[in-house]
Amino acid sequence: MSAFAAALAAALAAPVISPWDHALTLLHDRYDDEPTALVRTKERRSLSRFRYDNAETFFESLDRGFYDRRDEMLYQSGIVAQLALTSHLLDVGFSDQWNARHVRLDIAKGLAYANATGFAHHCPDMARLAAVLSPYWKWGHAHQFDQPRPDDGGFTLDAVRPILRALLDRVHDVTGHPRPGSSRHRQREARL
């Protein structure tokens, strides 16, 4: 029994190798980002859910068509995508500080890190939208520059809505976070 206990103790003491290590190393090298240890905690899980809820809330204004100007719509879309992607990244163990320092407002980069850590959202339309949005601050301040507007890729609100809905659905599926208001919806249905 002592040989078994010693083998078990050695196995538990060995570093855990993530199935994502190789993919993350490639991204760290590509972007010149400092490596990070992925550590899942209750706090990160809670923040992940908060980000997902906020992404759904910001999406609702897009879904209702509140943005007439394309630059405002793309800025809002960037917010939704950034919140959704960092929700996944927090859930798999990235720290919020690492995300703020390295991913920032770069949707394409956030999508690359998410896909490297099991998100598996290899949607060509999302990849194209992520490239247009990155960094999404440019759409919130595009009217303040004397430079030509950035290329919007021809994206319209009607084209963006299903792409972002699919992204949010993927975050919901991967993280298991309940949809916002789902408990209120169930309570209302139970009363009927």
Side-chain angles (χ1 to χ4, degrees):
M1 188 70 163
S2 64
F4 175 73
L8 180 60
L12 292 174
V16 175
I17 297 175
S18 165
W20 309 316
D21 281 349
H22 180 68
L24 287 175
T25 298
L26 292 175
L27 286 176
H28 294 322
D29 291 346
R30 175 181 172 190
Y31 294 117
D32 198 27
D33 289 338
E34 69 181 282
T36 185
L38 300 184
V39 179
R40 297 186 80 195
T41 66
K42 283 184 178 182
E43 293 79 19
R44 289 179 187 173
R45 174 82 175 154
S46 178
L47 185 55
S48 169
R49 182 174 177 179
F50 180 74
R51 293 269 170 89
Y52 169 70
D53 288 349
N54 281 337
E56 287 281 2
T57 299
F58 277 94
F59 177 75
E60 190 175 316
S61 63
L62 282 169
D63 201 31
R64 292 183 180 190
F66 289 162
Y67 297 95
D68 295 332
R69 291 182 32 189
R70 191 170 301 208
D71 56 341
E72 292 173 343
M73 180 272 295
L74 289 170
Y75 182 71
Q76 188 77 4
S77 297
I79 293 171
V80 171
Q82 192 264 350
L83 288 167
L85 291 167
T86 58
S87 173
H88 167 76
L89 294 174
L90 288 161
D91 196 58
V92 296
F94 285 88
S95 74
D96 198 32
Q97 295 78 14
W98 191 93
N99 287 328
R101 181 178 302 125
H102 298 287
V103 175
R104 298 180 303 274
L105 306 179
D106 190 332
I107 304 307
K109 190 177 188 181
L111 183 61
Y113 273 105
N115 281 332
T117 54
F119 192 57
H121 190 64
H122 302 287
C123 169
D125 289 334
M126 184 61 223
R128 196 168 70 83
L129 178 60
V132 166
L133 294 176
S134 297
Y136 72 85
W137 65 263
K138 66 186 173 189
W139 296 108
H141 303 288
H143 62 281
Q144 297 177 0
F145 294 119
D146 291 332
Q147 301 171 357
R149 288 190 189 270
D151 179 14
D152 63 18
F155 281 105
T156 64
L157 180 58
D158 288 339
V160 167
R161 275 189 204 129
I163 296 168
L164 291 178
R165 179 74 265 153
L167 179 71
L168 290 167
D169 288 347
R170 187 65 189 148
V171 172
H172 165 73
D173 291 344
V174 172
T175 64
H177 294 317
R179 296 195 190 280
S182 59
S183 63
R184 287 188 307 243
H185 181 72
R186 283 193 301 269
Q187 289 171 354
R188 187 174 57 233
E189 284 182 347
R191 285 182 286 200
L192 297 176

